[in-house]
Amino acid sequence: MRYYMFNKPRGCVTARRDERHRTVMDYFPECDRDVLFPVGRLDRDTVGMMILTNDGQSAHDLLSPKHHVTKKYRFECDEPLPLGTEERFADSITLADGYECKPAGLICDPDRLGGIITLTEGKYHQIKRMIAASGSHVTYLERISFADIPLDSSLARGEWRYLTAEEEKHLLSKTNAN
């Protein structure tokens, strides 16, 4: 089995093929594209860490809500987040459509125009919707870790590398494959 860390650039989509946009698969050797599974999705304008693998079962397990795999994001927003937003996220914020998010970690920057969010779920545009429910709008979003494995700072946008043996072992410890 192979496990890759990929630093997703802005503008590409998390899909195998797309008629209008470059996909994450376009960054990998052609011989690997038909066997790789992205472990989760990032919006077209979201950058940062993705895991891809040819191990479909592990990909499925890592995305399963029962495993509570953490995903950490750096964000910036256009209006300062109100005091108390950290507690609202920790208690479970309700989105405009009525969806109640699982508790999330939030550490705001001193100016409250950005910070770090830690999730264990990944609903459609969830962070953008959580920030909107707090009175602001996301202007920048980057996943900085997945399953407590940080994005390799030496990877430029659009570059990938194999997970180290230690990272792979840690990743698989989060699934039924351990």
Side-chain angles (χ1 to χ4, degrees), residues 89-132:
F89 278 38
D91 288 340
S92 176
I93 192 167
T94 301
L95 302 180
D97 64 1
Y99 178 77
E100 188 174 324
C101 297
K102 290 184 179 178
L106 172 63
I107 301 170
C108 287
D109 294 341
D111 64 6
R112 307 194 63 79
L113 288 168
I116 304 291
I117 294 178
T118 304
L119 302 177
T120 59
E121 61 182 345
K123 300 296 181 188
Y124 180 73
H125 292 292
Q126 182 173 347
I127 292 173
K128 293 175 184 178
R129 293 165 56 210
M130 291 170 77
I131 296 295

Side-chain angles (χ1 to χ4, degrees), residues 19-178:
E19 297 296 321
R20 297 180 298 163
H21 304 286
R22 195 164 192 197
T23 74
V24 294
M25 297 301 175
D26 293 334
Y27 291 86
F28 288 85
E30 198 166 327
C31 61
D32 289 339
R33 292 179 190 170
D34 288 337
V35 298
L36 289 180
F37 300 92
V39 181
R41 303 175 62 86
L42 290 178
D43 299 337
R44 190 176 75 206
D45 58 342
T46 300
V47 299
M49 179 157 175
M50 291 191 71
I51 301 289
L52 289 93
T53 181
N54 64 345
D55 180 357
Q57 184 60 54
S58 288
H60 175 76
D61 289 347
L62 288 163
L63 296 173
S64 170
K66 71 180 179 178
H67 291 289
H68 307 289
V69 174
T70 59
K71 295 162 276 292
K72 193 175 286 191
Y73 299 82
R74 171 85 191 133
F75 74 96
E76 295 172 5
C77 54
D78 63 355
E79 294 290 329
L81 294 175
L83 293 175
T85 303
E86 295 91 339
E87 291 80 11
R88 285 183 65 210
F89 278 38
D91 288 340
S92 176
I93 192 167
T94 301
L95 302 180
D97 64 1
Y99 178 77
E100 188 174 324
C101 297
K102 290 184 179 178
L106 172 63
I107 301 170
C108 287
D109 294 341
D111 64 6
R112 307 194 63 79
L113 288 168
I116 304 291
I117 294 178
T118 304
L119 302 177
T120 59
E121 61 182 345
K123 300 296 181 188
Y124 180 73
H125 292 292
Q126 182 173 347
I127 292 173
K128 293 175 184 178
R129 293 165 56 210
M130 291 170 77
I131 296 295
S134 302
S136 191
H137 294 90
V138 171
T139 58
Y140 174 81
L141 188 58
E142 176 181 18
R143 185 186 289 156
I144 58 175
S145 75
F146 184 89
D148 302 317
I149 300 170
L151 176 62
D152 184 334
S153 61
S154 71
L155 285 178
R157 300 275 187 244
E159 291 185 341
W160 60 269
R161 69 163 174 81
Y162 295 104
L163 290 186
T164 66
E166 184 177 302
E167 290 168 337
E168 186 177 316
K169 181 178 178 182
H170 178 78
L171 184 71
L172 293 177
S173 76
K174 306 292 184 183
T175 72
N176 292 333
N178 51 2

